[in-house]
Amino acid sequence: IRVMAAPEGSLRRRKVADAGRSPGWPPGPAPHPAGSRVHLRTGTFWLTRVVLLKALAFIYFVAFLVAFHQNKALIGDQGLLPCRLYLRSVQQYFQGKIGWDAWSYAPTVMWLLDWSDMNFNLDLLALLGLGLSCFVLVTGCANMVLMAALWVLYMSLVNVGQVCVWEGWESQLLETGFLGIFLCPLWTLSHLPEHTPTSQIVLWGFRWLIFRIMLGAGLIKIRGDKCWLDLTCMDFHYETQPVPNPMAYYLHRSPWWFHRFETLSNHFLELLVPFFLFLGRRMCILHGVLQILFQVILIISGNLSFLNWLTIVPSLACFDDAALGFLFPSRPRGLKDQVLGMQRKEAREVKSKPRYGCMVRRVVNFSLGILVAWLSMPVVVNLLSSKQVMNTSFNPLRIVNTYGAFGSITKERTEVILQGTASPNASMPDAVWEDYEFKCKPGDPWKQPCLISPYHYRLDWLMWFAAFQTYEHNEWIIHLAGKLLASDAETLSMLALNPFEGRAPPRWIRGEHYRYRFSLPSGQHAAQGKWWVRKRIGPYFPPLCLEDLKEYFKAREWPLPEPHLDAS
């Protein structure tokens, strides 16, 4: 009879491996050699915090980069909507005092700074934000002080941005950033601060945020445009969205049944999937996966600034360390290895009396939960209301807000095209009018749609909204016309093409209203290289010269720009 016996060497290795285990630790693999897989257990969120902080820091970095590049031309000393004039109007509204009322109406550190050089102030805040967000992005480390500084800096810029920053994602970033403050220890800068585990209250704050974002977007659609109910909205969306990209050109020509499927999928993801959050770990992870995939599809199909990138951030709170472990390499003393060690240590140790700092932390997190619950009351009432409003803040700090997107879909695309002429008489039939081109919005029919997400051209978005209204509703566009009449270099930096570059500025500027539609990929216009086909609707605003604008500018305290004879 042959006896099956294990080799003596194998038994010896097994005994050595088991010798280092605690009595209560279940059988499992020995301490892993380099390159072997590390299996983290569920229920801890150390790596989740690292991923959340890096993702949030990336969004902050993009947002501050947009602010640094564009704020001076938009809200600077000589901008289209100078923030100095805005702050002065707020101050005058409150009897000339910079007190609690002014601070609560427009919370911004600009109240503390010298207003004589607003361009410097705007650059200072943006550069500080860029530096701090870059540090968090690269290191994955942050504390409450650092994250609070990022939040205050960005809130200070948003609250003086006026219509340039009215989009819902600005409030969404502030709410996300506020929750990000409480992810971190007060002072410690460490990937894995041992005595500050990720708070369940903060994690549920992020989950509550993504729940409201998605459900709010779904409800505003079915309560708004009837095309969401008859499943035809996607027949128009790709062509009429604010800033289409090249993929939108082809998706617009998808079969009718594909557009119906897209709309049904949208309803499923926005109206049903959010409730997966409350159905246990696996369904919560499924929710996170579905929402992230949804946002990636939206990123591919349009230029919606950093909105979809930002919406991914709270979805990351659906994943614990076991689910996110694949993102981190398995190497000795790596983050995953350290988390595994912390999990083993926690399993071995008998729970002792909490440290004083931990108790304070619990009180802070509990207070945060009460604050979010209290501020959520009007938000929930709004969600349940048949008169739901979207992208609205009920508090000046924008800590808890309402959200929504595309509650109504425009069925045709209109654009405002700005044109200039050097002719002394704008009414002459032989006057040659030349188009100004923007960085990304449709203009020249031969220009390919751009691909810029997560970056954002604020002026292009303002022009999209202006096309729905008249110039009387958008005074800034007349200010823009005045700047172009003077060939103002700061303003021209926001455009892609100045037709008068190297020449004298135009004598007249006018706005023309056009209807745009995508060319048929296999059609005649596409064969000529056209992405768009356009047809003139009529004038948007009449021809203007600098002399015409003197009184208009004076009434609004805008300085009349001096023409630059050589714009090159």
Side-chain angles (χ1 to χ4, degrees):
I1 300 174
R2 299 182 62 185
V3 178
M4 301 295 293
E8 182 180 355
S10 298
L11 288 173
R12 185 179 297 113
R13 284 194 296 269
R14 188 177 303 165
K15 288 179 181 178
V16 170
D18 289 342
R21 296 185 182 276
S22 298
W25 188 255
H32 65 284
S36 67
R37 295 186 62 184
V38 177
H39 296 281
L40 300 173
R41 64 180 175 86
T42 62
T44 63
F45 297 88
W46 301 98
L47 298 179
T48 306
R49 171 165 48 196
V50 175
V51 175
L52 271 168
L53 286 174
K54 280 178 168 281
L56 180 55
F58 172 73
I59 304 301
Y60 265 134
F61 183 84
V62 174
F64 282 114
L65 187 65
V66 171
F68 179 69
H69 284 162
Q70 302 176 38
N71 272 359
K72 293 188 291 296
L74 290 171
I75 59 174
D77 292 311
Q78 304 295 321
L80 298 180
L81 292 166
C83 62
R84 182 196 296 113
L85 297 181
Y86 172 71
L87 290 174
R88 189 180 301 158
S89 69
V90 174
Q91 183 181 3
Q92 291 171 353
Y93 180 79
F94 294 109
Q95 289 77 47
K97 299 178 182 178
I98 305 177
W100 172 254
D101 290 333
W103 273 90
S104 61
Y105 183 84
T108 173
V109 297
M110 288 291 189
W111 293 117
L112 303 174
L113 303 179
D114 180 9
W115 294 2
S116 63
D117 190 352
M118 279 299 191
N119 283 356
F120 174 80
N121 295 340
L122 292 169
D123 278 351
L124 175 64
L125 298 188
L127 287 172
L128 285 173
L130 281 171
L132 294 178
S133 58
C134 186
F135 173 81
V136 179
L137 177 60
V138 172
T139 65
C141 300
N143 57 31
M144 293 184 75
V145 175
L146 195 154
M147 296 305 294
L150 283 170
W151 181 70
V152 170
L153 288 169
Y154 198 66
M155 179 176 61
S156 297
L157 293 175
V158 168
N159 285 328
V160 297
Q162 307 155 79
V163 299
C164 301
V165 292
W166 73 273
E167 297 93 346
W169 59 73
E170 308 294 352
S171 296
Q172 187 178 327
L173 176 52
L174 287 175
E175 182 173 349
T176 310
F178 182 78
L179 291 172
I181 297 171
F182 298 89
L183 275 174
C184 311
L186 179 60
W187 294 109
T188 306
L189 279 175
S190 170
H191 292 106
L192 307 171
E194 184 176 359
H195 300 294
T196 312
T198 311
S199 166
Q200 287 288 334
I201 292 176
V202 178
L203 290 171
W204 276 106
F206 280 110
R207 293 170 188 173
W208 174 233
L209 171 58
I210 188 63
F211 177 84
R212 288 182 287 111
I213 291 171
M214 303 312 298
L215 188 62
L219 290 175
I220 200 71
K221 288 180 174 66
I222 62 174
R223 289 170 175 160
D225 202 318
K226 65 178 183 180
C227 72
W228 287 112
L229 292 176
D230 62 28
L231 308 182
T232 59
C233 274
M234 297 306 294
D235 294 347
F236 312 100
H237 167 72
Y238 293 115
E239 185 175 74
T240 62
Q241 63 178 308
V243 185
N245 67 10
M247 185 61 70
Y249 175 83
Y250 297 102
L251 287 172
H252 178 64
R253 299 298 178 182
S254 301
W256 68 268
W257 57 264
F258 184 75
H259 288 318
R260 304 300 178 272
F261 170 75
E262 288 179 305
T263 312
L264 281 172
S265 299
N266 185 93
H267 292 331
F268 171 70
L269 289 163
E270 292 183 341
L271 294 171
L272 293 178
V273 170
F275 292 94
F276 290 6
L277 284 165
F278 310 106
L279 301 178
R281 176 179 179 268
R282 291 187 178 181
M283 294 300 287
C284 186
I285 289 176
L286 178 60
H287 168 277
V289 171
L290 290 175
Q291 296 299 3
I292 290 173
L293 289 176
F294 183 38
Q295 299 308 315
V296 169
I297 291 171
L298 295 177
I299 291 168
I300 293 171
S301 63
N303 291 304
L304 297 176
S305 182
F306 52 75
L307 171 62
N308 305 117
W309 302 76
L310 174 60
T311 306
I312 289 174
V313 176
S315 299
L316 296 171
C318 298
F319 304 95
D320 58 13
D321 292 336
L324 292 178
F326 74 97
L327 296 175
F328 296 83
S330 298
R331 61 170 180 261
R333 304 196 62 78
L335 283 181
K336 188 192 293 190
D337 183 60
Q338 293 179 52
V339 170
L340 181 63
M342 295 169 75
Q343 289 181 344
R344 288 174 172 171
K345 181 179 178 182
E346 182 183 358
R348 288 196 305 265
E349 288 183 347
V350 178
K351 289 190 177 181
S352 58
K353 185 178 179 181
R355 295 154 46 107
Y356 175 76
C358 294
M359 293 295 294
V360 173
R361 183 79 185 186
R362 289 178 184 178
V363 172
V364 170
N365 290 332
F366 185 70
S367 301
L368 171 68
I370 293 175
L371 176 65
V372 171
W374 173 258
L375 295 177
S376 295
M377 291 175 65
V379 175
V380 172
V381 170
N382 178 70
L383 276 176
L384 299 177
S385 172
S386 59
K387 298 181 180 179
Q388 176 191 359
V389 293
M390 65 181 190
N391 300 329
T392 302
S393 299
F394 296 101
N395 60 87
L397 298 179
R398 311 191 194 205
I399 296 174
V400 180
N401 313 287
T402 69
Y403 301 103
F406 298 107
S408 61
I409 295 289
T410 51
K411 306 306 185 291
E412 61 180 23
R413 183 180 198 91
T414 58
E415 293 286 350
V416 177
I417 303 299
L418 300 182
Q419 300 176 332
T421 182
S423 174
N425 189 341
S427 60
M428 292 293 290
D430 61 345
V432 178
W433 292 92
E434 301 176 71
D435 291 1
Y436 287 87
E437 285 294 327
F438 287 74
K439 293 285 182 69
C440 215
K441 92 174 190 69
D444 180 3
W446 280 269
K447 182 181 177 181
Q448 177 179 321
C450 65
L451 183 63
I452 56 164
S453 178
Y455 196 75
H456 175 46
Y457 293 119
R458 297 195 185 279
L459 184 58
D460 294 50
W461 273 70
L462 288 175
M463 292 295 292
W464 181 73
F465 286 110
F468 300 147
Q469 302 168 318
T470 64
Y471 70 89
E472 290 92 348
H473 294 97
N474 299 275
E475 292 185 343
W476 58 266
I477 202 170
I478 303 302
H479 200 181
L480 175 60
K483 297 279 192 181
L484 296 181
L485 284 166
S487 287
D488 178 71
E490 204 167 61
T491 302
L492 289 170
S493 69
M494 294 189 290
L495 304 184
L497 173 65
N498 170 23
F500 296 90
E501 185 174 356
R503 297 188 279 157
R507 297 190 179 188
W508 301 87
I509 291 284
R510 72 180 183 184
E512 292 288 279
H513 215 177
Y514 280 85
R515 181 178 294 111
Y516 274 67
R517 59 182 176 85
F518 278 136
S519 64
L520 191 64
S522 58
Q524 173 187 357
H525 297 289
Q528 298 170 2
K530 290 184 178 181
W531 291 81
W532 297 97
V533 179
R534 73 180 188 180
K535 182 179 180 181
R536 184 177 181 270
I537 299 172
Y540 184 79
F541 62 79
L544 301 170
C545 65
L546 277 177
E547 186 67 25
D548 296 336
L549 296 175
K550 280 186 177 179
E551 292 302 318
Y552 190 87
F553 276 44
K554 184 178 180 181
R556 288 154 183 80
E557 300 183 57
W558 296 340
L560 192 70
E562 293 293 329
H564 296 266
L565 296 181
D566 185 4
S568 63

